[in-house]
Amino acid sequence: MKEIIFIIITFSALGIFTLPKRSQYYQMLVTQIFLIVVTGYLMYLSFNRIGPLQIYLFELIGNDVSLVIDSLSAFFIFVINITILTGALYSKGYLKPYLRDKTRLEMAWHYFNFLLLHISMLMVVMLREGISFLVFWELMSVAAFFLIIFESDKQENKDAGIKFLIQMHVAFYFIITAFIICSIATGQNIGFDSLEQYFKTYPSFPVFLLFFIGFGIKAGFIPLHTWLIHAHPAAPSHISGIMSGVIIKMGIYGIVRVLTYIHSDLMPIGVFILIISIISGIFGVAIAIVQHDYKKLLAYHSIENIGIIGIGIGIGVMGLAINNPVLASLGFAGGLLHVLNHALFKSLLFYTAGSIYQQTHTRNIENLGGLMKKMPATAVLFLLGAAAISGLPPFNGFISEFLIYTGLFKSLMVSDSILSVTLLAGIVALAVIGGLAVFCFTKIFSIIFLGTVRSDKTRHSHEVRSSMLFPKFIIGILIIAIGVMPFLMLRPMAFVAGVIVDDTSSLRDMAGTMSGISLSLSLLIVFIGILLLIKLKLSKVRHTDIGPTWGCAYTGSDPALHQYSATSYAEYIIMKARLLVGVKKHFRYLTKEKIFPSETYFKTESSDVFDDNLISRPVGGLLSFMEKIAVFQTGNIQHYLLYAIVFVIVITIISIFGII
Amino acid sequence: MIIKELKILRQHGIQYVPDLKTAVLTPLFRGRPVIKEDPTDQETEKIKKLCPSNAITTEDGFGIDIGKCVFCKECALAYPDKIAFTNDYKIASNDKNNLIVRKGDSEIKFNENIVRPEVRKLFKNALKLRQVSAGGDNSCEFELYAAGNVNFDMGRYGIEFVASPRHADGIVITGPITENMSEALQICWDASPGPKVLILVGTDAISGGMFADSHAVNRKFLEKYPVDLYVPGNPAHPLTFINGVLRLIGK
Amino acid sequence: MKLFLETYNNSDSVNLADIPVLSYKYFANMLRSYFVDSDNHCLSYYAFRKDDKLKFICAIAKDSDGKIYLSSHELKAGITALDSLTPEFPQLHIFEREIAENFGITFEGHPWAKPVRYSENRADKIKVMNNYPFYEMMSDQLHEVGVGPIHAGVIEPGHFRFICNGEKVLHLEIHLGYQHRGIENLMLQNDNPIKLCVLSESTGGDTAVGNALAHSQLMESLADFEAPEDLQIERCIALELERIAIHIGDTAALCTDVGYQLGQVVCEALRTTIINTTQFWCGNRFGKGLVRPFGTNYPLNDRTVEEIKKILNDSGKRYFDMAERIYSLPSVLGRFDEIGIVTTEQAYRIGAVGMAARTCSIPRDIRSTHPFQYFKNHRPQVVIQEKGDVLARGMLRYLEAKESVKYIFELLSKWEYTEKSNLKPDYNYKLKPDRFSASIVEAWRGELCHFAVTDEKGNIMHYKISDPSMHNWFALALAVRDQEISDFPICNKSFDLSYCGYDL
């Protein structure tokens, strides 16, 4: 049975290369649906049993390689599948304009890598054995790399892809180092199973730190996030959505999986995760506010949300440390539910961003405006995603943050003072992050969709075709469903959290609160619906005139030019958080002496302080150092022979004198 | 501290005029003119030459058109036995013909028959107005602003000036409507939802006043829309305006 | 060669031919030598057509000796370009722009060559209100806010264009012209002098007494008439009453803008009492009809004097109590202090006059430097403030009102002992031919200038009105630089400049 499935998948994947351009997509889609069905079945099987589902695959260098699926893996399978499915459905419409210019091979390669990404991610969450895990982890990065540089005619995309690949390899080395340490120390095979033994006998923090760095680069914690901010804007939008939706969650999966084996040193680990997550959250959202490129903005938001997930996981670990099952289960449940929620609304946001890009060909929000009238469905879906990411009820972001808040508040009472301060910091941080997220999304939604056009770029925009809208609707329905009926998620999340936490009864106790929330939210929605109906009925009866916006009766220019700009809206944050967000203004203020101003310009630029100091400067320094050394590379054979002779002489002298 | 404020408030006392319809202005106030005796033809010629704004009409007998009169009182000062200016401030009317004062007229009449029914139906208890200064010399604007102050308080009748024409039930024009302002006035009119009233305040608005013949003035706007109320004066006293509007809305 | 003709304010007219006509080069050098000294400032600089040439007249006021210096140059037909003096003396910018607009002269090197009011007799009809060339900064990250012409309150129309970064204003440009009615052309109707009186009052209805006085003074000067003392005293009292009424009204407006309700209603009520006194005196709340050339229809009598004294005692004291309270409240001071600062340097360079100058330590007050009417015999105290912010402008109004109340009482006591002339206005006056006269009045905003030239028949050939707002609008643009845009209404109200006086 397994062999048949394996053969079907392999031939199906390779078969993409043989088909004409139009059919390649359907081949990929069918294969993916097949994968989803298979893994869905496995997921279903794993939920209704005690202990994980084990399926033996094959033998590798003397180790058994099996699929081990527990509730955590099953949960991630669900997240992966739903995001890849919607991404695939969306990509049909998004890639259509590219079909003309790309060759058959290029498109096939793209679809093939898409499929490969799907397969490798599924395998990553289902495998425990070390070598196969690492192989598929690498395959995932490589597949993602090829997907990112889809538009490789632009140099900046290739640079972003290379940065991604290099950082993924750095992450890989950290992970493999950690695995090797565990394996050698315990004498077992490389793999997650050796962790169990290792963490029982040795201090947990150092190796955990290695794992955290490795998986954290993938997840995008600060200061390990610098690949994210370049890769997301460079990739085509359906890939950006999937990247933010699931690829970075693989890092989270890794961290949580490692945590399932740790039973000592929990407090320092928990506090460490909490602090890094708080920094990621606040820093991520603050920089997002000053961005003008909406894809970069959404990328920074992913960092912020990883921070929120991290806060949930951090406090979960702290809960385990002090044996507080309420804190532990609510923290983990909240954090992991946020994984699903973020996958949903972030992919929705990236897909809508892709629709905007397809229509306007610009990523600079200062050039957009008034798209609400031209692309109403996209606008509403974007608004839905924006409200969800800001954690507003009745959407799903609210539910996961609510779980984390509940855990924090419930534990605040029963903790000692130092722990209380930490928990309070968590609450405050979460609140600040939520507030700043609303600030950021009001800015981006209003500048892009509301008002009127700011430049010619939006003149020819119209609503996108329904094949692109359909997957977004699916996501929207799920967002609202989780938001309005949160009690549906309680039992599944209890199972998932049960992998780490023994006593998840507090989650079941939340059922009452959740039902209360869902009741009030449903009433709210019904009330709004009634008001809308009344308004529609009344406006049909009254006479309506349409005229230009009142602009104080100025007849000279287009009132559209007198709209708020994104920089102006963000100016408040820029002023208060100048050091944090690293915004530089290029402007000569008009002095008191200058009565009549002459020509001047105004420009702001923001830079990422970590990107500058950790990556750009050292790399720049290294490159300039290399350029100095490059004088040796003269291209002249005689010189190289000279180097060889010199080397031999030096080695001889050294050996004679016994230095080595 | 509060004590100082209380002292100021006590000195301030009660400022609002209790009944705006029966207030009496100072004796020299130049309100409604009366024609005691018709001037002779010779005198009429001299008065016509004297009048700076062509307010003297001789069709159907001698008359002073207070829609054109700038209330300089020079005619009354030159011929005090024929013409006098009383301090009657109720000189607003909705019919331009009623603005011509002839011998024997004892008040400026308001024509109930030509009031549009929707004005009475909709605006009796609340009338929000948008004021447009289309070349006014700032005295009418001051007086209109004063109509809402603590003394005259037209807000007690629900009459108010609003900032946006979208919220307005009517447009109040002051000034002769300059060429440079004509397009803006049209935009403002179009921006306010119907049904709406049009009120002209001040001599400049009603007839162009001293600027009727200026090339910088473009009064074509007034040819398009019916005017609901004329409030003469140079400037129109707040009591004239308020009483005129109250008559219009039927209070 | 004489470079200029000296004359005094409110004195005899001069022969037009006596004003020296220089070539532009000498004219420019003369102006340079004068404006270098900050004691001199330009009253007005304008042009008019005489025969087939364009005659330019410049009137400079010297504060230390109280003289007015007149000079002129003539431009032959066909020459349409001159070197601009604005780069060296920014105070001339508005006048050169006005000449350029009316006659199509190009001032080369003018840094701010833009239309002034889009007058109906402008030279280039292609330039219309809709394509005013606003200053722009190169950026797609700034936003512009355009307010007007129709503003939220019951005020005159004008367009303000802000270039903003967030809430901070980087630059403000003011575009007026909506109130242009063509007054200067209408003043050339020589058939009925009453028309001219009413027209001058309509130039600025809130400065009716000031404008009527400037006009009457001008006509009297061109007819070689000197007003008797009691008439002079009455005119000064009317001017000061107007000043007090407006200052109280402005204080109310400032309180409205910061939300200090008590200040607003008390000052509003007090203003009503003052203008009702003016109404008691002459029948019009703004004093229209009170001031006429060669006499008055409303001489002061004991009853009116009693009324004035009563109201000033009562309302004056209440206003001073209220103003003391307003300017000691921390919440109000927090909105006024250090907002909208115009430095002394800036005020000198743009040629600010009147209140805008006096709040920046510049002692420009025509009642003191070039006195007219009874101010010649009895000069009032000039009130100066130093900081140039909104608080200074508010305090200036309070202190000037105080000074004016005191001054009116002094004038009233002088009036009692003066012989009453009982002169009625004379509308059959004849003006001397080929004359030029300047009549400057310190209206409540600042120095208001009326100039007239008569032809060989004694008819008015050209009439020029220069409102103090011509100089001062630019001060508002400078005051708002680097301020928050929400402080703009306060700055605008604190200047309270005239739109219709500027637009004519």
Side-chain angles (χ1 to χ4, degrees):
Chain A
M1 187 62 190
K2 289 176 280 212
E3 291 82 4
I4 302 175
I5 296 177
F6 174 70
I7 291 171
I8 294 177
I9 294 175
T10 318
F11 274 101
S12 198
L14 292 172
I16 295 179
F17 288 98
T18 59
L19 290 171
K21 269 198 259 189
R22 306 240 161 236
S23 327
Q24 286 165 353
Y25 168 74
Y26 295 101
Q27 177 76 1
M28 176 196 84
L29 187 64
V30 164
T31 321
Q32 285 181 332
I33 293 180
F34 178 69
L35 271 172
I36 290 174
V37 168
V38 169
T39 46
Y41 178 64
L42 292 176
M43 198 175 86
Y44 166 73
L45 283 181
S46 79
F47 257 107
N48 289 330
R49 49 184 300 135
I50 308 188
L53 178 68
Q54 301 226 15
I55 301 177
Y56 173 76
L57 283 183
F58 53 84
E59 208 185 291
L60 180 71
I61 323 177
N63 305 330
D64 287 341
V65 176
S66 325
L67 298 178
V68 184
I69 308 173
D70 60 3
S71 337
L72 186 67
S73 307
F75 177 71
F76 274 92
I77 292 176
F78 177 66
V79 176
I80 294 170
N81 282 338
I82 199 113
T83 313
I84 295 268
L85 179 63
T86 49
L89 288 173
Y90 176 77
S91 67
K92 171 163 182 276
Y94 185 78
L95 289 175
K96 202 157 182 179
Y98 292 98
L99 283 177
R100 242 177 334 143
D101 302 320
K102 299 276 181 187
T103 66
R104 209 188 74 170
L105 184 59
E106 280 173 333
M107 292 309 293
W109 185 237
H110 182 81
Y111 291 126
F112 178 74
N113 276 304
F114 201 152
L115 200 49
L116 190 58
L117 182 70
H118 190 185
I119 297 171
S120 46
M121 283 202 287
L122 286 171
M123 296 305 277
V124 158
V125 302
M126 294 196 288
L127 289 170
R128 299 292 171 92
E129 194 277 323
I131 307 258
S132 51
F133 174 84
L134 289 168
V135 163
F136 278 106
W137 183 268
E138 253 317 85
L139 268 179
M140 184 173 67
S141 303
V142 168
F145 167 71
F146 283 114
L147 290 171
I148 290 173
I149 59 169
F150 179 63
E151 282 183 87
S152 53
D153 36 319
K154 296 202 187 98
Q155 182 61 31
E156 61 197 24
N157 292 346
K158 280 200 275 211
D159 287 343
I162 299 281
K163 278 192 181 126
F164 167 79
L165 201 55
I166 294 177
Q167 298 207 11
M168 289 300 115
H169 271 101
V170 170
F172 181 72
Y173 292 137
F174 274 95
I175 300 173
I176 203 175
T177 310
F179 269 129
I180 289 177
I181 293 178
C182 290
S183 172
I184 292 182
T186 58
Q188 290 180 332
N189 298 320
I190 293 185
F192 281 106
D193 302 319
S194 63
L195 268 65
E196 177 91 43
Q197 177 78 4
Y198 180 85
F199 285 121
K200 282 206 181 96
T201 43
Y202 293 92
S204 318
F205 197 81
V207 168
F208 170 77
L209 192 60
L210 286 175
F211 273 120
F212 185 82
I213 295 176
F215 286 119
I217 293 181
K218 192 77 174 185
F221 283 101
I222 301 251
L224 312 163
H225 64 284
T226 46
W227 64 271
L228 230 167
I229 55 188
H230 298 290
H232 275 78
S237 300
H238 58 293
I239 300 300
S240 303
I242 292 175
M243 264 208 295
S244 260
V246 278
I247 298 186
I248 60 180
K249 305 308 186 333
M250 294 296 105
I252 299 288
Y253 168 78
I255 294 174
V256 177
R257 178 60 69 198
V258 167
L259 282 173
T260 52
Y261 298 104
I262 298 183
H263 302 287
S264 64
D265 270 353
L266 282 170
M267 194 41 124
I269 290 178
V271 172
F272 172 73
I273 298 179
L274 184 65
I275 292 179
I276 293 268
S277 306
I278 291 179
I279 296 176
S280 305
I282 295 185
F283 192 76
V285 73
I287 294 205
I289 290 177
V290 303
Q291 295 304 319
H292 303 304
D293 174 342
Y294 53 79
K295 285 181 87 168
K296 215 167 182 181
L297 184 146
L298 291 174
Y300 274 108
H301 263 286
S302 294
I303 298 175
E304 168 224 331
N305 279 289
I306 290 290
I308 296 179
I309 296 172
I311 290 179
I313 294 181
I315 64 169
V317 173
M318 281 163 62
L320 286 177
I322 57 170
N323 270 323
N324 183 342
V326 172
L327 186 59
S329 47
L330 284 172
F332 275 113
L336 289 171
L337 182 60
H338 205 75
V339 166
L340 171 63
N341 290 341
H342 181 242
L344 288 176
F345 51 64
K346 190 42 80 65
S347 50
L348 174 62
L349 284 169
F350 268 110
Y351 299 155
T352 34
S355 307
I356 298 170
Y357 182 73
Q358 197 193 52
Q359 291 299 315
T360 60
H361 297 291
T362 177
R363 295 204 309 256
N364 184 357
I365 53 181
E366 301 275 26
N367 290 337
L368 302 173
L371 285 179
M372 183 79 144
K373 298 189 182 84
K374 300 199 173 155
M375 306 168 70
T378 310
V380 170
L381 287 163
F382 190 94
L383 185 59
L384 184 64
I389 201 173
S390 310
L392 301 172
F395 304 117
N396 57 357
F398 172 69
I399 301 298
S400 46
E401 288 193 18
F402 184 77
L403 286 173
I404 301 178
Y405 273 122
T406 313
L408 283 167
F409 274 110
K410 278 197 171 153
S411 323
L412 204 53
M413 298 298 126
V414 299
S415 311
D416 65 52
S417 49
I418 299 184
L419 189 59
S420 293
V421 171
T422 324
L423 292 177
L424 206 55
I427 295 176
V428 169
L430 212 49
V432 168
I433 293 173
L436 288 175
V438 175
F439 185 102
C440 186
F441 273 94
T442 46
K443 167 185 134 182
I444 194 176
F445 180 74
S446 319
I447 304 277
I448 293 182
F449 292 105
L450 302 180
T452 52
V453 298
R454 285 186 177 77
S455 74
D456 279 329
K457 298 243 166 50
T458 49
R459 295 240 179 259
H460 303 290
S461 315
H462 55 83
E463 189 53 82
V464 294
R465 54 179 65 86
S466 42
S467 64
M468 287 167 80
L469 288 176
F470 173 63
K472 298 183 212 164
F473 276 120
I474 299 180
I475 301 180
I477 291 173
L478 280 174
I479 287 179
I480 297 181
I482 298 182
V484 179
M485 297 185 286
F487 47 83
L488 286 179
M489 296 305 293
L490 276 182
R491 256 189 92 226
M493 290 321 294
F495 273 124
V496 175
V499 171
I500 287 199
V501 183
D502 295 322
D503 176 11
T504 54
S505 56
S506 46
L507 271 175
R508 285 170 236 273
D509 293 338
M510 293 284 291
T513 324
M514 289 287 150
S515 308
I517 292 177
S518 99
L519 182 64
S520 40
L521 291 178
S522 319
L523 280 175
L524 176 70
I525 293 180
V526 166
F527 180 65
I528 294 176
I530 293 179
L531 282 177
L532 268 173
L533 274 175
I534 296 178
K535 185 207 170 225
L536 278 173
K537 274 222 110 121
L538 279 179
S539 29
K540 278 209 186 73
V541 175
R542 303 275 167 92
H543 171 70
T544 316
D545 267 330
I546 296 186
T549 310
W550 172 247
C552 296
Y554 185 64
T555 51
S557 67
D558 191 6
L561 291 178
H562 300 164
Q563 298 181 93
Y564 230 30
S565 69
T567 316
S568 289
Y569 192 77
E571 174 65 16
Y572 183 71
I573 294 286
I574 295 176
M575 265 192 332
K576 301 288 173 206
R578 180 153 300 179
L579 288 171
L580 188 62
V581 300
V583 168
K584 284 188 271 291
K585 271 197 201 162
H586 303 286
F587 178 64
R588 272 188 332 266
Y589 274 103
L590 298 176
T591 56
K592 291 280 181 198
E593 283 72 42
K594 202 136 183 58
I595 304 280
F596 302 112
S598 48
E599 238 183 60
T600 182
Y601 64 93
F602 179 93
K603 200 160 131 52
T604 60
E605 274 169 350
S606 79
S607 57
D608 185 331
V609 65
F610 294 103
D611 198 22
D612 281 344
N613 292 329
L614 287 180
I615 309 291
S616 304
R617 281 222 191 105
V619 169
L622 187 66
L623 284 174
S624 55
F625 178 68
M626 286 300 177
E627 269 170 37
K628 292 200 182 71
I629 299 211
V631 290
F632 287 111
Q633 205 158 9
T634 56
N636 203 329
I637 280 270
Q638 280 87 335
H639 289 149
Y640 298 147
L641 287 173
L642 180 62
Y643 297 151
I645 295 173
V646 167
F647 178 73
V648 169
I649 296 176
V650 167
I651 285 289
T652 319
I653 294 178
I654 292 179
S655 318
I656 290 179
F657 286 104
I659 298 178
I660 334 179
Chain B
M1 277 203 310
I2 295 282
I3 300 186
K4 260 205 160 166
E5 261 92 359
L6 285 175
K7 180 169 147 225
I8 293 174
L9 264 178
R10 195 169 50 88
Q11 286 172 338
H12 184 65
I14 297 188
Q15 285 286 334
Y16 78 98
V17 175
D19 188 349
L20 291 176
K21 296 186 185 170
T22 56
V24 176
L25 292 179
T26 60
L28 283 179
F29 174 73
R30 292 174 236 150
R32 176 176 55 84
V34 288
I35 309 208
K36 298 186 219 173
E37 280 298 323
D38 274 335
T40 65
D41 287 337
Q42 216 185 19
E43 287 173 336
T44 309
E45 277 311 304
K46 287 219 176 85
I47 296 179
K48 267 191 166 172
K49 272 219 180 88
L50 196 59
C51 178
S53 56
N54 282 331
I56 310 292
T57 166
T58 43
E59 291 174 15
D60 297 335
F62 183 86
I64 301 181
D65 183 354
I66 59 171
K68 292 188 181 160
C69 177
V70 290
F71 295 86
C72 65
K73 207 172 142 181
E74 294 294 339
C75 52
L77 288 167
Y79 297 94
D81 44 339
K82 300 282 166 44
I83 303 173
F85 277 77
T86 64
N87 66 350
D88 176 13
Y89 50 82
K90 296 203 184 125
I91 51 177
S93 176
N94 58 348
D95 189 344
K96 218 169 181 182
N97 298 325
N98 289 353
L99 292 177
I100 302 180
V101 172
R102 298 187 196 282
K103 177 173 160 203
D105 284 345
S106 60
E107 59 162 356
I108 302 290
K109 291 200 184 53
F110 193 86
N111 191 341
E112 289 287 331
N113 301 331
I114 58 172
V115 177
R116 290 185 287 150
E118 60 261 25
V119 170
R120 289 286 162 85
K121 188 170 116 181
L122 293 169
F123 302 136
K124 182 142 189 214
N125 289 317
L127 179 65
K128 305 292 173 206
L129 295 169
R130 168 70 242 192
Q131 185 268 350
V132 177
S133 171
D137 67 355
N138 210 19
S139 52
C140 275
E141 285 80 358
F142 258 106
E143 294 294 62
L144 284 178
Y145 186 71
N149 77 359
V150 74
N151 297 111
F152 299 108
D153 190 21
M154 63 180 180
R156 63 181 118 170
Y157 298 112
I159 310 171
E160 209 182 22
F161 283 111
V162 290
S164 168
R166 297 257 193 255
H167 307 160
D169 299 318
I171 305 282
V172 174
I173 305 181
T174 55
I177 308 184
T178 57
E179 170 68 49
N180 288 344
M181 199 54 195
S182 51
E183 211 182 318
L185 176 60
Q186 182 67 52
I187 293 177
C188 184
W189 176 260
D190 291 335
S192 48
K196 46 196 170 186
V197 299
L198 181 59
I199 302 179
L200 300 178
V201 173
T203 308
D204 284 346
I206 297 176
S207 62
M210 301 298 299
F211 308 104
D213 298 324
S214 170
H215 295 296
V217 160
N218 176 351
R219 292 173 63 82
K220 292 212 183 71
F221 176 84
L222 293 174
E223 292 163 18
K224 292 196 234 175
Y225 309 105
V227 178
D228 289 287
L229 185 65
Y230 299 91
V231 183
N234 184 25
H237 195 279
L239 286 174
T240 312
F241 175 72
I242 297 176
N243 278 293
V245 173
L246 288 177
R247 290 267 274 278
L248 179 66
I249 60 178
K251 269 213 149 84
Chain C
M1 174 180 60
K2 261 184 87 181
L3 292 176
F4 43 77
L5 181 61
E6 292 175 16
T7 181
Y8 290 89
N9 186 17
N10 188 207
S11 67
D12 297 331
S13 56
V14 298
N15 283 322
L16 185 61
D18 287 344
I19 303 179
V21 180
L22 310 171
S23 71
Y24 190 70
K25 200 169 81 147
Y26 282 115
F27 181 78
N29 281 333
M30 181 214 67
L31 290 182
R32 283 192 186 99
S33 64
Y34 262 82
F35 289 137
V36 154
D37 181 0
S38 57
D39 190 32
N40 301 322
H41 69 273
C42 177
L43 285 170
S44 190
Y45 170 40
Y46 64 93
F48 61 98
R49 285 200 198 288
K50 185 161 164 60
D51 307 325
D52 58 345
K53 297 201 205 68
L54 201 57
K55 197 170 175 70
F56 291 61
I57 296 205
C58 184
I60 301 174
K62 193 172 177 66
D63 289 341
S64 52
D65 61 11
K67 289 192 189 157
I68 299 178
Y69 294 90
L70 300 167
S71 189
S72 71
H73 71 93
E74 283 176 3
L75 209 53
K76 285 193 270 295
I79 303 183
T80 53
L82 292 169
D83 286 331
S84 166
L85 291 164
T86 304
E88 297 163 62
F89 303 109
Q91 57 177 298
L92 294 175
H93 79 99
I94 191 74
F95 299 112
E96 288 188 344
R97 283 163 61 190
E98 191 182 31
I99 297 173
E101 183 175 56
N102 286 336
F103 300 106
I105 307 287
T106 313
F107 283 92
E108 276 156 19
H110 194 300
W112 205 247
K114 301 189 189 194
V116 171
R117 55 175 78 94
Y118 291 96
S119 44
E120 44 103 3
N121 57 348
R122 62 188 183 275
D124 184 359
K125 292 268 163 66
I126 297 181
K127 295 202 171 87
V128 287
M129 298 284 275
N130 290 349
N131 52 26
Y132 183 94
F134 283 101
Y135 170 74
E136 277 168 11
M137 292 193 187
M138 294 191 285
S139 175
D140 63 349
Q141 294 176 332
L142 297 171
H143 73 279
E144 290 186 12
V145 177
V147 190
I150 297 186
H151 294 290
V154 182
I155 53 177
E156 302 171 86
H159 186 74
F160 298 92
R161 187 67 72 85
F162 300 86
I163 299 181
C164 298
N165 173 31
E167 294 297 307
K168 202 178 254 272
V169 176
L170 299 178
H171 174 77
L172 161 63
E173 191 151 353
I174 304 171
H175 161 35
L176 301 172
Y178 293 94
Q179 301 277 67
H180 174 69
R181 296 155 289 169
I183 286 195
E184 286 179 347
N185 273 342
L186 290 172
M187 293 295 268
L188 302 180
Q189 300 168 88
N190 283 291
D191 50 340
N192 184 355
I194 302 180
K195 276 191 188 169
L196 302 186
C197 298
V198 179
L199 270 174
S200 348
E201 284 170 347
S202 298
T203 309
D206 53 9
T207 323
V209 174
N211 272 301
L213 182 54
H215 174 73
S216 304
Q217 223 168 247
L218 188 62
M219 294 296 110
E220 288 171 4
S221 161
L222 285 171
D224 276 346
F225 173 87
E226 190 179 333
E229 255 193 16
D230 66 326
L231 188 59
Q232 291 188 18
I233 295 178
E234 291 175 16
R235 285 170 171 177
C236 291
I237 294 176
L239 192 65
E240 293 304 308
L241 267 181
E242 182 180 70
R243 192 185 311 271
I244 295 171
I246 294 280
H247 281 346
I248 298 180
D250 276 348
T251 312
L254 282 173
C255 290
T256 315
D257 270 352
V258 293
Y260 183 43
Q261 266 260 307
L262 182 64
Q264 175 197 345
V265 296
V266 168
C267 291
E268 269 177 2
L270 291 172
R271 175 173 171 260
T272 308
T273 60
I274 307 279
I275 57 180
N276 280 345
T277 312
T278 310
Q279 187 188 254
F280 182 85
W281 182 356
C282 72
N284 186 293
R285 300 201 324 159
F286 290 84
K288 289 188 180 181
L290 178 54
V291 177
R292 287 280 183 265
F294 308 104
T296 176
N297 288 317
Y298 303 98
L300 268 185
N301 53 42
D302 293 324
R303 179 79 188 83
T304 312
V305 168
E306 205 185 292
E307 185 74 22
I308 293 177
K309 282 188 178 167
K310 185 173 95 160
I311 292 293
L312 283 182
N313 270 326
D314 177 43
S315 302
K317 181 174 170 315
R318 279 164 57 194
Y319 175 62
F320 302 144
D321 280 345
M322 187 73 244
E324 289 242 4
R325 188 76 193 113
I326 292 172
Y327 294 116
S328 57
L329 263 183
S331 46
V332 171
L333 289 177
R335 286 299 306 274
F336 287 169
D337 200 17
E338 309 221 336
I339 302 287
I341 295 181
V342 179
T343 63
T344 310
E345 173 72 29
Q346 284 175 321
Y348 266 125
R349 293 188 68 208
I350 60 168
V353 299
M355 284 203 289
R358 292 199 288 278
T359 50
C360 301
S361 320
I362 304 178
R364 281 186 189 154
D365 187 335
I366 296 292
R367 294 173 297 171
S368 170
T369 56
H370 300 76
F372 52 98
Q373 302 297 316
Y374 202 75
F375 295 112
K376 289 181 197 162
N377 305 353
H378 185 60
R379 295 182 198 209
Q381 279 280 74
V382 177
V383 179
I384 304 279
Q385 289 282 308
E386 284 166 0
K387 279 181 79 174
D389 56 3
V390 172
L391 180 60
R393 295 190 276 272
M395 287 292 293
L396 184 82
R397 285 170 164 82
Y398 158 48
L399 295 170
E400 274 195 2
K402 213 172 185 176
E403 180 58 37
S404 291
V405 169
K406 188 173 105 199
Y407 188 75
I408 292 182
F409 275 103
E410 287 166 11
L411 281 184
L412 283 174
S413 67
K414 291 232 175 355
W415 179 84
E416 277 170 44
Y417 298 106
T418 320
E419 196 192 307
K420 311 289 179 281
S421 57
N422 287 323
L423 281 180
K424 292 257 173 268
D426 175 15
Y427 299 117
N428 297 317
Y429 56 80
K430 290 274 172 284
L431 303 175
K432 297 270 181 304
D434 291 320
R435 292 294 185 104
F436 169 90
S437 186
S439 162
I440 327 283
V441 162
E442 182 75 14
W444 60 270
R445 285 191 178 98
E447 64 198 38
L448 179 56
C449 313
H450 285 219
F451 305 97
V453 173
T454 52
D455 64 7
E456 64 276 359
K457 296 203 200 76
N459 290 330
I460 299 178
M461 180 183 116
H462 183 261
Y463 199 100
K464 179 94 196 95
I465 302 177
S466 269
D467 192 278
S469 308
M470 291 280 282
H471 308 260
N472 289 347
W473 270 113
F474 210 80
L476 175 59
L478 291 176
V480 175
R481 262 190 213 165
D482 285 348
Q483 299 291 313
E484 307 270 308
I485 193 173
S486 44
D487 284 328
F488 170 71
I490 273 280
C491 293
N492 195 8
K493 286 261 167 43
S494 70
F495 278 101
D496 199 0
L497 296 168
S498 175
Y499 301 73
C500 52
Y502 178 98
D503 286 343
L504 296 176

